[in-house]
Amino acid sequence: QVQLVESGGGLVQPGGSLRLSCAASGSIISINNMGWYRQAPGKQRELVATITSGGSTNYADSVKDRFTISRDNAKNTVYLQMNSLEPEDTAVYYCNADRVVYYGRDSFRRASDFWGQGTQVTVSS
């Protein structure tokens, strides 16, 4: 089994910072893409940032110059540093791992997507 567990969410005032982390556990061989998505109340889930195993990044326009995504391939962990937070950033943030190769049930397996359970980020005074 492969599981993603997010942490680091919470309540912060406007202008503050948070650092989210997501650790993938299991007998993982490789993860191609990892990323962060968010879903605000009444809205669809949207991409925040992604990063490949080689370090290539992509950001939503709304978070450019404020958020930074990074990963530690050895630990199968992805991070999201969020600065200058705004109330509009309030959402449940989900971790994603795409194109995962892992070992389970006595064989090597491949999956397109794994998702974490989400962590709440609330920006409010």
Side-chain angles (χ1 to χ4, degrees):
Q1 292 288 334
V2 175
Q3 294 183 341
L4 304 180
V5 179
E6 302 99 332
S7 62
L11 175 64
V12 65
Q13 295 184 10
S17 299
L18 286 173
R19 186 172 187 251
L20 306 182
S21 64
C22 172
S25 62
S27 300
I28 298 171
I29 306 302
S30 64
I31 302 175
N32 189 355
N33 301 304
M34 301 189 77
W36 291 94
Y37 296 73
R38 67 185 182 186
Q39 187 168 17
K43 297 183 178 180
Q44 294 182 329
R45 186 174 300 185
E46 65 176 354
L47 181 148
V48 177
T50 60
I51 184 169
T52 68
S53 60
S56 180
T57 59
N58 182 51
Y59 295 92
D61 289 340
S62 60
V63 305
K64 287 182 178 178
D65 301 321
R66 297 190 298 121
F67 293 6
T68 301
I69 189 171
S70 61
R71 65 186 284 176
D72 185 335
N73 291 334
K75 297 181 179 180
N76 290 317
T77 301
V78 63
Y79 307 92
L80 185 68
Q81 178 66 47
M82 305 185 294
N83 299 323
S84 301
L85 284 163
E86 305 169 352
E88 291 74 21
D89 296 317
T90 296
V92 177
Y93 284 70
Y94 296 92
C95 176
N96 171 263
D98 189 29
R99 291 198 285 171
V100 181
V101 179
Y102 64 101
Y103 190 83
R105 294 185 290 278
D106 299 323
S107 66
F108 289 99
R109 299 176 181 272
R110 182 184 300 151
S112 297
D113 286 280
F114 286 98
W115 292 90
Q117 78 288 347
T119 184
Q120 177 71 49
V121 172
T122 302
V123 185
S124 178
S125 60

